Every structure is written in structure tokens, then in C-alpha cells.
Amino acid sequence: RGRVAEALVAGRWRASGAWDATLEEVDVRDLVAARETRLAGWLGPPWVRDGWFQALLLLGDVVGEEEARREVEDLVTRRTSGRGGDAVERANLERTLVGLLTRGCRRMVLGYTVRREPFSDDYSAGVENVGRDAEAGLDSAIFVRTVKLKDFPWNGWLRVGASAAGRGGWNPVAGFRDPAGRLLWWAVGDPALLPEPSGAGWIPNRAVPVEVVVPPGGGGVPVPSGALAPTGHRLRPAGPGATARAKVVYRVLASRFHDGTRLTPADLLYAYAVAVRWAGDDPDGRRRDPAVERATATLRDWLAAVRVVRVDADVKDLGGEVHLVFEVPLVEVYLRHAGDPDRLPAVAPPWSPLPWTLVALMEEAVVQGRAAFSEAEARRRGLPWLDLVRDPGVGQALDALAADFERRAWVPEPLRDLVTAEEARHRWAALRRFHRARGHWLVTAGPYRLDRWSRGEAVLGVFRDLSYPLGVGAFDRYALPLRAFVAGVERRGERLEIQAEVETVTRFQRSFRIDRGPFHAAPGHGSRRPRLAARWAAVGPGGRIVAAGTSETLDGDRLVVDLAGRLPAGGYQVLLALTLDGNVVNPEVQVIPYRVGA
């Protein structure tokens, strides 16, 4: 089945009949589509790009033995509920899980294909700085944030073709599910964090984690009594004595929405209120959509409380008397579970690319039976799939609701203590003005704005607003993923000193060359020093990991992995791989014999 089979197998062999095996190609995008989260500014789940999770999606349904299935379920529950222990325990848990999944021969992975996607790099009609995702390719957030025109960089036109015309509902809650819709949302929307394009982690976008607190030994983190905690279907003050297992502190890069209003703490908190209110056991049954419930399940399971500490002002001096002032809310998010510190910031980040007015308007339209968030729920209830742009009937219904809300200065219940009547009337008026001017309701805080559209085309304009916090080139480091290599390892006492070779980019006007040479810690010619890291694991008898970690410690030009006190006496194999700026695609892994004691 699929393109690979058609290329390899003679046509006469594909006739009907009984066969011993089926050759099938599985697209990674299709594999994760049913389990990934794309709801407004949240992406996830945090482990959606981890190898163990994708192995589960690929092979989990063919585990035959009942005992093995129960063990797989237990391992997955432990891993996704924060009960996986420290880094070593998590690594062994994941290895055990993948071992169970690959045992037997009901389904076997034969190999991997490479997807190729065309673009023009001609001058002057082509593009450069083309970032792509290691799994999703050009259908990704990093593409629209890095690609540049070779000519007319400020006022030219970038033409992008999708593999299929947009057919789904254009709404940020459970829409934008086809290739054209995804690309549109990557451009006009702005996630809290972006998938690391050459790795399994996350990189900050609009919610920047500045502190991750996980007390050792499973201790608790005190939750301030004024923090808002999910209670039933509402957010309420946590009260005295509440604790959590972890805390993440974020700086939120606020800006104006496309309707001219500014993001406030009310916009951030309403996103959490919606996630809590749309749980599956809603008492009146009107806030019920399995797609929304699934997309918010991890957040609802992990979120203990959230608190907006304050709103700071960052001032950027442009020279002379010109200054830009950026508003930056400082937000604490408390989590019920602990886990991988690198993944915790992606669990429940404080951010919304949508004004609270638009979210409340969509909610009310769904509650009143005017439309449904998801395709499946729309089909079940016989309603339109909510489309903020192309459905004139839905657009008229939203306009009537918004007019009524403006007249009444209506504020949804979760925001009654945060938004005044005057502010609410101002926000509703701004939303309605945007609709009258633009002809659609797709208001976001993203870098692009939808200007016009037709059956087979959407035209976007750059949102040129001085409040937008991420300038040109903010993600250029990811456009050309570079690699690092182990050139030599020397043991000194209980530490490994690594000589590294790294790739560097040499640019010639609108072309470039990638060179490989020795790593030097000091930056050269004023360029930004690349982030070099050593990922390592010490494997003991029986193939179990005894210690693991990541080191960015430098001693001169050498990278250091300090193993002092990490390993009991015995013989080990240390697996070592180097990464540059987080690129873990196809690394070269060195195996180093290592002995502790006699």
C-alpha cells in the first residue's frame, strides 16, 4: 500500500488474494495527527515528537499478548503522568517501552524514506534562509518565520502552494486541519512555544520560560493563595496550604492584536478558563466537544494553578529620543506533576494569540448551536464547522452576537473581576470594527494578517506593528541546522574532555557554504557563539542506563562531561553524541569504554 509499495512491487503482484505480509508507508504527519494538540496558542502534547511516543503510535496497536499490552499501558501512564522519575528512570522506562513494542513480528520497521519538497532559490524570484522542520518539512511554523525573499525583502510577494485546497473550518480551536489551513494558521497564529525544528524539544516564542522549579525528592512547591486553581469547571483562588509538584515562571511577550487592542492578563487567563470549562463532564452538556476535550486533557491533568505576578515594562532604545516600550507579564504556572524539566514549559504555557473577546464569541456561538468547533462534532450535531472567514452565515451570526455583547458591555463569568464594563465595551467595539474593515473575524496577535481570500487562495500581509516583540531574524539560527562531531576524547580522572568539530556557515552575498572545522569557544568576528552540548548515557550490565545527562561545560575549547560520583564501581559503555544549537537529527554516536574502580 502506498507510493513505496507501488514503486517496488510489480503491478501483477498487487492483485486480490491472500498475502503473508503488507508493505506500507506511514507518513509521520498522519501518524501524529490524531494525537497532537493544536489549539489556539498551545501545541503538544509535550512528548509528541519523542521517539518512544511515535513508536507507540506506530506499533502500539499490534502488541499481541495481554500481559505485554498491560505493561505497555502502565509504562505509558507512568511516562505521561509525570511518574517516570529522574532522567535515568525515564530513559530506562522509554527503552523498556520501545523494547516491548518492537518484540515480535506482527509489524516491523524496515526503514525510512526522505520527503523532498521543492522551492526556488533563483535570484531574484527565489527565496533564501528556508527553515524546515525535520518531520513536517515546509509545512511548519519555522518555515514562515525564517524564509526570506532574495529580492524585495520588505515589499515583495512570497507564493506558497499547498498540496490540497483548504476544505476545513478556519477556526483556531479545532480547525485549520488540512495542509492549506495549517500553513495559514502557522502564519497568522503565534504559538506559545515552537517545535524544535531539528529535535524533539521546544523553543520559546511568545512565552519564554525563565525558571523551572522541581524540588528534589518529590517535595512540594507552595502555591500562593491568590493563584487561580481549576476547581470543577472554574478557576478559583487556590486558598491557603495548596502545593504543587513543579513551578514554571514565564515572561510573556505581549503585543497588540490585529484589532488594535493590547493583550492583557485577562486574555492569558481566559485561555485557561476555556480549557477547564470545556471538560467532558460539563453539567449542562453544551460545552462538549471531544476534540477540544482531548486537546486540553494534558493541560487539565497537569495544571495546579496559575498566577499573573506583575506586568513589567521593557524599554528598547533605538537611539536619540526614540524608545519602544514592551509590556511583559510575568506569570507563574504550578503543575500537579513533575517530569522532564526540558518538557515542563510546554505543558501549560500562559499565552493566547486570540483576544478574549473572540474566544468568548466563538464559545457562545457554539453553545447556542450556531456552529461546532470540530468537524466530527459538526457532523454529529448537523451544524456548520465553525469558520471565522469563509462562512457568511456564521459570520452574520457572530456579528449579531458581538453587537449584543457590545451594547451590554458583556464580560464572560471567568473575567468578571478582571475586566471593567468600559474596557469590555471598548474591546467589543474594536473587534466589530475589525470585522467591518476586513470582512472576517480571524483576529490574532501573530506576525501575519489575513487580508483577502478566494476559493483557492489566501493573501496575507505582514502585521507591521511596533509592539510586535520578535524582530526579523529571531529564528535565523534554525534555518540552516548545523552538526557537531566528536574528534577526540581524553579521560582525565573522572571526567571526559571532548575535542569537537563543528559545522559553520560562510556566506557569499546570497549564497552560502557549510564548512567543518575545530570548535573554538571564543566567538569569531563578532558572530553569535553556537550552543554546543554533549548528550551522554552510561550503559551498565544488562543494557540498563545507570547515568545520563547533557553537558555544556567548557574548559577552554574542550567540552567536559564530569562523571565524578555518578557511577558505582564496574565497567560501562558511555554513549556520547554532540549537538549544535539543538540539532539531534542523525547524530554520530561514539561508544567509549569506561571503568570505575579496580
Side-chain angles (χ1 to χ4, degrees), residues 342-354:
D342 292 336
R343 296 290 191 273
L344 290 181
V347 173
W351 170 245
S352 174
L354 311 173

Side-chain angles (χ1 to χ4, degrees), residues 172-186:
V173 177
F176 295 118
R177 297 293 161 171
D178 54 82
R182 283 197 305 268
L183 191 59
L184 173 61
W185 180 244
W186 286 133

Side-chain angles (χ1 to χ4, degrees), residues 192-212:
L193 296 97
L194 300 175
E196 200 169 37
S198 299
W202 303 85
I203 55 177
N205 186 43
R206 299 299 294 269
V208 181
V210 294
E211 183 182 16
V212 178

Side-chain angles (χ1 to χ4, degrees), residues 103-391:
R103 190 170 64 188
C105 58
R106 289 173 179 252
R107 182 176 294 168
M108 302 177 68
V109 178
L110 300 182
Y112 298 86
T113 60
V114 176
R115 182 172 63 251
R116 301 186 181 277
E117 297 174 306
F119 65 88
S120 170
D121 64 352
D122 294 338
Y123 182 78
S124 63
V127 293
E128 60 184 343
N129 212 58
V130 183
R132 69 277 191 192
D133 185 273
E135 292 183 1
L138 302 184
D139 180 11
S140 60
I142 203 67
F143 168 69
V144 295
R145 283 161 178 78
T146 54
V147 64
K148 293 179 175 61
L149 302 169
K150 283 199 169 183
D151 201 3
F152 304 111
W154 301 107
N155 294 296
W157 294 91
L158 172 66
R159 291 179 171 84
V160 184
S163 60
R167 62 165 187 84
W170 283 3
N171 80 74
V173 177
F176 295 118
R177 297 293 161 171
D178 54 82
R182 283 197 305 268
L183 191 59
L184 173 61
W185 180 244
W186 286 133
V188 302
D190 228 8
L193 296 97
L194 300 175
E196 200 169 37
S198 299
W202 303 85
I203 55 177
N205 186 43
R206 299 299 294 269
V208 181
V210 294
E211 183 182 16
V212 178
V213 179
V214 181
V221 179
V223 176
S225 59
L228 297 177
T231 305
H233 291 270
R234 297 184 179 183
L235 292 176
R236 302 181 185 275
T243 61
R245 289 288 312 282
K247 178 179 77 170
V248 186
V249 183
Y250 301 83
R251 296 178 77 248
V252 179
L253 306 183
S255 66
R256 291 185 185 274
F257 295 106
H258 296 168
D259 64 0
T261 61
R262 279 190 173 275
L263 181 141
T264 66
D267 299 290
L268 302 178
L269 294 174
Y270 195 62
Y272 292 103
V274 170
V276 172
R277 290 203 298 173
W278 282 81
D281 56 345
D282 174 40
D284 60 17
R286 294 187 300 169
R287 289 185 174 87
R288 175 77 170 88
D289 190 315
V292 179
E293 180 185 356
R294 178 184 59 79
T296 57
T298 299
L299 181 145
R300 286 184 283 108
D301 178 45
W302 284 66
L303 180 65
V306 58
R307 180 173 76 127
V308 179
V309 180
R310 63 178 184 269
V311 178
D312 296 327
D314 281 5
V315 180
K316 183 176 182 180
D317 186 355
L318 298 183
E321 297 182 357
V322 181
H323 300 84
L324 294 180
V325 179
F326 298 94
E327 294 182 352
V328 183
L330 187 72
V331 184
E332 295 173 342
V333 175
Y334 296 85
L335 301 174
R336 290 193 182 107
H337 313 297
D340 185 349
D342 292 336
R343 296 290 191 273
L344 290 181
V347 173
W351 170 245
S352 174
L354 311 173
W356 67 258
T357 46
L358 178 58
V359 180
L361 185 64
M362 290 190 292
E363 270 195 299
E364 196 63 23
V366 172
V367 169
Q368 292 187 14
R370 311 289 184 92
F373 281 129
S374 69
E375 180 181 21
E377 190 67 5
R379 188 184 303 114
R380 187 186 73 83
R381 298 175 61 188
L383 296 173
W385 189 358
L386 181 63
D387 194 313
L388 300 178
V389 177
R390 301 170 301 173
D391 188 327

